[in-house]
Amino acid sequence: MKLVIAEPLGIDKQDLLGYVFSAMAADIEIVYYDSPPAGAPELAARCAEAEIVVIANTPLGAEVLRQCPRLRLISVAFTGFDHIDLELCEEMGVTVMNAAGYATAATAELTLGLALSLLRELPLCDQLSRGGQTRPAPGRELRGKLFGVIGSGSIGLRVAELARAFGCEVCAWSRNPKPVGYINYLSLPELLAAADIVSVHLPLNSNTRGLLDFSMLTLMRPEAVLINTARGAIVDNQALAMLLKSGRLAGAAIDVLDNEPPWPPDHPLFDAPHTLITPHIGFATREAMHTRAKLVFDNIGRWLAAQ
């Protein structure tokens, strides 16, 4: 059986292979690529003969899948499936497994870091300090703010826990609310209208794509800030930029846009005031990369054991 690790997974090759060999007893041919594929044709060439493919956040669509007749398992080194053609996988009889939970701590901690950076204007303070200037206008504290969490999966709940530790009140909206004593569940419009900080923690699917459109974003108070460390397409980023530029929102911190970075320099959010942009780093900590690799290959080991 041939296993293709189609792109690097953010850890040293020897550490990665250690996770492979600790998870699998079967006699498997392993092919490892230490650079991302240049595009779909190169990805298809890498995966064409594989029974098992490991992929991270590189899109794996029909163009590639149809060139992989032997494929039986995709182990996704990522939390979401939105970059995988799941319908075609089902049609082809290909099992798809993900690495759920590997980046919970990393993404939640980034979310609180972005909230602090927005409220205390840390990037501006850095620029002023380097330019020999004095401090900006006084910032704001997290303590006492109403922190709104959209989506109460594992990341959303960890964000709620951290926000509470900073002295925030916490409200949330979710289609599947988890009963937590200190979280006040509201409707989505109620949350947007009330929260000082709104943080997005939803998967991207047909129900959530464009969920925070212009009409929803305009419910937020002018003093509020938006944080998105989930998926870019959940938010109408054109509308968000317009609201920021018109002063109808106090700020935004965005780790994800509609596609993966690098992003075009003329993106409308790039010149919006009081806006932080990070290049999809929510998941990217050393600890998370090792947790991810272990999950990916443990998933493959369990799948092999069940065959």
Side-chain angles (χ1 to χ4, degrees):
M1 187 170 289
K2 184 174 182 178
L3 185 159
V4 172
I5 304 168
E7 60 181 310
L9 298 186
I11 65 173
D12 180 79
K13 181 180 179 181
Q14 291 306 116
D15 289 339
L16 185 146
L17 292 177
Y19 290 121
V20 173
F21 296 131
S22 68
M24 300 174 203
D27 182 18
I28 293 181
E29 176 190 358
I30 298 167
V31 180
Y32 169 73
Y33 290 93
D34 60 3
S35 62
E42 183 176 343
L43 179 60
R46 293 181 179 188
C47 301
E49 301 299 319
E51 283 90 4
I52 303 171
V53 165
V54 174
I55 200 81
N57 60 346
T58 296
L60 191 54
E63 177 184 355
V64 175
L65 289 169
R66 294 191 189 281
Q67 298 181 61
C68 303
R70 301 174 61 187
L71 187 60
R72 297 177 59 196
L73 172 68
I74 301 168
S75 189
V76 182
F78 215 55
T79 301
F81 295 113
D82 47 282
H83 59 308
I84 309 291
D85 190 330
L86 294 177
E87 289 186 9
L88 183 56
C89 286
E90 184 176 4
E91 179 184 317
M92 294 172 62
V94 176
T95 300
V96 183
M97 308 173 83
N98 70 339
Y102 82 91
T104 296
T107 306
E109 289 177 14
L110 177 66
T111 299
L112 269 293
L114 292 172
L116 289 166
S117 293
L118 280 174
L119 295 188
R120 298 301 298 271
E121 297 195 81
L122 297 185
L124 174 61
C125 290
D126 177 80
Q127 293 174 20
L128 293 176
S129 297
R130 294 173 188 273
Q133 300 178 58
T134 187
R135 65 182 65 86
R140 294 186 286 166
E141 297 178 2
L142 273 174
R143 182 178 58 89
K145 300 295 185 293
L146 181 59
F147 202 113
V149 178
I150 298 179
S152 60
S154 59
I155 295 174
L157 289 179
R158 180 58 179 160
V159 167
E161 184 179 15
L162 293 176
R164 184 174 183 242
F166 274 93
C168 296
E169 297 180 49
V170 181
C171 62
W173 173 81
S174 176
R175 287 190 170 90
N176 299 293
K178 311 292 193 307
V180 178
Y182 59 84
I183 297 178
N184 180 27
Y185 280 95
L186 303 173
S187 70
L188 184 56
E190 288 172 335
L191 182 151
L192 292 169
D196 299 295
I197 300 143
V198 174
S199 190
V200 184
H201 303 286
L202 294 170
L204 179 62
N205 53 43
S206 58
N207 292 319
T208 63
R209 185 178 295 276
L211 178 68
L212 296 185
D213 58 12
F214 179 80
S215 63
M216 283 290 184
L217 292 172
T218 55
L219 297 176
M220 294 177 65
R221 296 183 299 107
E223 301 84 8
V225 299
L226 176 74
I227 302 171
N228 187 7
T229 57
R231 291 292 184 268
I234 295 169
V235 177
D236 182 340
N237 289 303
Q238 298 275 350
L240 176 61
M242 183 172 66
L243 292 171
L244 289 162
K245 291 174 183 178
S246 65
R248 294 175 65 184
L249 276 181
I254 304 298
D255 188 47
V256 285
L257 293 174
D258 292 344
N259 49 28
E260 288 297 305
W263 295 314
D266 61 348
H267 192 283
L269 280 172
F270 280 16
D271 62 352
H274 308 294
T275 302
L276 299 178
I277 309 287
T278 52
H280 199 179
I281 61 167
F283 66 97
T285 65
R286 295 177 185 177
E287 296 87 347
M289 295 300 94
H290 281 269
T291 300
R292 175 173 78 166
K294 186 175 188 308
L295 283 170
V296 162
F297 297 110
D298 283 351
N299 282 343
I300 295 172
R302 285 192 292 272
W303 181 84
L304 287 168
Q307 302 309 299

